[in-house]
Amino acid sequence: IAPWYDYVEEFVGISGQKEGLAQLPDGKFLPPMELNCAELHVREALQGKFADERMLTIGRCAVLTEAHNGRAPCHYCGPCRRGCITRSYFSSLNATLPAAQATGKLTLRPYSVVHSVIYDEVNHRAKGFRVIDAVTHESFEVYGKVVFLCASAMESARILLNSKTARFSNGLCNSSGEVGRNLMDHVMGGGAVGTLPGNEDKTHYGRRPNGLYIPRFKNVNSQSPDFLRGYGYQGGGFRERWEHGLETPGFGADFKHALRDYGPWRLSLYGFGECLPSFGSYVEIDPEVRDKWGVPALRVNMTYGENERALMKDAAKSAAEMLDASGATDIETSIEDNAPGLAIHEMGTARMGRDPKTSVLNAHNQAHDVSNLFITDGACMTSSSCVNPSITYMALTARACDYAVKQMDLGHIG
């Protein structure tokens, strides 16, 4: 770790500011997650060209930059997809499950496939879940005073739709007919990439777990005639790494030195736009198909509309405009025709709302129809916005848990 920091200021341009930074055992300081030189160049150009309208900043992510509850700050080793040995990267394995285990009240039951919610017709409450062991295929039941359903937007909808009762003949908590409806997924793929002159003496060192972000700026202060809502950009500045030599023949010192010819700096902007909710985008139980455990499967009915297509067309145009304002050359725009589901941000199938006739959950993620049932995954969302939603779900879950505990203490549920 220490040698990495020694190179940061020289090659990446981080200031070396010590205040508020995480300190390592050897006295060194880890820098915060900073923009690299190419990204800083573009940010300054955007501030000069577009004033306060378009702000390029570092992407927000659930990764520690200082020690917290026995978890170390990120040291930018890079292979986050393989897991995080320092537990800096948030996940249930790194953070919430250890905290739950520390209470002594956690029962972890892997290889479990939920079939449906058990509903008490007499007391009008959820009792627990019907479950199938994924390995043995044996069925069993689990019970609880309060039930949280957080299986992801489409799977939570499938569980509710498969939980038919005498009272809820078309699925549990579905008196409104909204369960499974208003399915959304971010539209993505409108953007551009360009070459930025200068800074050839600087390169990457270490790997950030995030990139740059440009928050939504369209339809904020004025309304576009072409579309509703807007989009934001993810992306980053980069140079080619040594991997460009994987298919290049060579051997010895000269070959290794040649691999350090990283080429010019480039910067990419990739748009993610808001998908509008629509009653006509929905999931339903397939009347014939079942999964390997015999649970009725979902059928997905969803397409992007003209508004989503217009968003990505404009995102490509605006990305090229910003790169041009930054002095970039060789600008290439793209508008990908991505199908719903590829952004993997599904949401909206059990929406929150004040009116039980048009929504499934109240403002605390509590089901209107079944007071001791809460849903805190993407199913609760009424709008997709244009940002990555997972941290929002985490915040909603924490709030819903706090509310549920208070309601239990008051004797209102449970």
Side-chain angles (χ1 to χ4, degrees):
I1 298 176
W4 182 87
Y5 184 81
D6 292 340
Y7 287 107
V8 166
E9 188 168 344
E10 177 182 357
F11 287 108
V12 187
I14 291 176
S15 66
Q17 173 71 32
K18 302 299 188 292
E19 183 178 355
L21 303 186
Q23 189 170 15
L24 301 173
D26 63 358
K28 297 283 188 178
F29 287 83
L30 280 175
M33 294 174 189
E34 293 277 1
L35 298 171
N36 62 37
C37 56
E39 296 159 353
L40 287 170
H41 170 79
V42 175
R43 182 174 72 173
E44 292 172 1
L46 296 186
Q47 290 175 337
K49 175 72 173 180
F50 301 103
D52 296 328
E53 183 193 47
R54 306 184 190 189
M55 172 57 68
L56 189 155
T57 186
I58 193 70
R60 270 52 176 174
C61 58
V63 178
L64 295 179
T65 55
E66 58 184 64
H68 178 68
N69 289 344
R71 297 163 58 203
C74 175
H75 63 278
Y76 311 101
C77 63
C80 306
R81 61 190 177 277
R82 301 180 188 174
C84 183
I85 60 172
T86 58
R87 295 170 56 205
S88 310
Y89 200 119
F90 177 89
S91 70
S92 56
L93 291 175
N94 287 343
T96 51
L97 285 178
Q101 189 175 35
T103 68
K105 300 178 180 180
L106 171 68
T107 299
L108 188 61
R109 211 311 181 166
Y111 307 111
S112 303
V113 179
V114 174
H115 177 283
S116 53
V117 179
I118 304 169
Y119 179 68
D120 183 343
E121 295 275 6
V122 176
N123 297 304
H124 304 294
R125 59 188 295 274
K127 293 176 59 178
F129 292 101
R130 299 179 186 89
V131 185
I132 302 169
D133 187 292
V135 178
T136 67
H137 289 231
E138 294 180 358
S139 299
F140 62 97
E141 296 179 350
V142 294
Y143 304 99
K145 294 181 179 180
V146 175
V147 173
F148 271 68
L149 180 55
C150 311
S152 80
M154 294 200 295
E155 186 65 8
S156 288
R158 179 169 80 142
I159 292 170
L160 291 177
L161 293 172
N162 278 327
S163 305
K164 295 181 179 180
T165 71
R167 178 185 175 192
F168 300 104
S169 59
N170 62 341
L172 189 65
C173 302
N174 200 19
S175 63
S176 64
E178 293 287 341
V179 172
R181 296 285 176 171
N182 304 293
L183 176 64
M184 298 172 285
D185 184 31
H186 286 138
V187 59
M188 66 177 186
V193 61
T195 300
L196 294 169
N199 290 310
E200 282 81 6
D201 59 329
K202 296 181 175 64
T203 188
H204 298 279
Y205 206 96
R207 296 189 181 184
R208 285 183 327 210
N210 57 348
L212 67 80
Y213 192 73
I214 299 179
R216 172 186 161 191
F217 53 87
K218 286 297 180 80
N219 293 333
V220 176
N221 296 320
S222 60
Q223 177 62 49
S224 168
D226 300 321
F227 54 86
L228 300 173
R229 311 298 172 84
Y231 50 82
Y233 293 101
Q234 299 179 32
F238 60 95
R239 296 183 75 181
E240 296 293 338
R241 304 179 75 93
W242 63 265
E243 289 94 333
H244 69 81
L246 286 173
E247 299 180 1
T248 303
F251 183 78
D254 290 342
F255 176 65
K256 288 190 287 186
H257 285 302
L259 295 181
R260 298 183 66 180
D261 181 10
Y262 300 129
W265 280 94
R266 291 171 62 77
L267 189 130
S268 67
L269 297 173
Y270 192 83
F272 284 79
E274 179 166 353
C275 174
L276 299 180
S278 170
F279 191 78
S281 291
Y282 64 98
V283 296
E284 60 183 337
I285 298 299
D286 192 292
E288 300 178 357
V289 179
R290 292 175 178 261
D291 64 22
K292 65 181 294 184
W293 298 283
V295 184
L298 276 186
R299 177 186 291 170
V300 181
N301 306 272
M302 183 181 179
T303 59
Y304 288 131
E306 290 301 319
N307 198 75
E308 286 76 30
R309 284 186 278 273
L311 280 178
M312 289 298 96
K313 181 178 179 180
D314 195 78
K317 177 183 176 182
S318 293
E321 180 182 55
M322 288 186 283
L323 288 171
D324 181 68
S326 304
T329 61
D330 304 319
I331 298 172
E332 302 174 6
T333 61
S334 61
I335 305 174
E336 299 175 359
D337 185 19
N338 292 315
L342 287 180
I344 57 173
H345 296 163
E346 300 90 353
M347 58 189 93
T349 56
R351 60 184 355 200
M352 291 191 288
R354 295 183 178 90
D355 187 351
K357 294 180 180 178
T358 58
S359 60
V360 180
L361 309 171
N362 66 16
H364 300 285
N365 295 77
Q366 180 183 30
H368 290 301
D369 293 336
V370 183
S371 63
N372 72 326
L373 176 61
F374 293 78
I375 302 175
T376 62
D377 55 30
C380 73
M381 300 291 282
T382 60
S383 165
S384 68
S385 180
C386 62
V387 296
N388 288 5
S390 294
I391 298 178
T392 300
Y393 304 161
M394 290 160 56
L396 290 172
T397 301
R399 188 183 69 167
C401 288
D402 179 70
Y403 175 80
V405 169
K406 292 176 179 176
Q407 291 299 298
M408 291 178 69
D409 290 342
L410 293 172
H412 294 166
I413 60 174

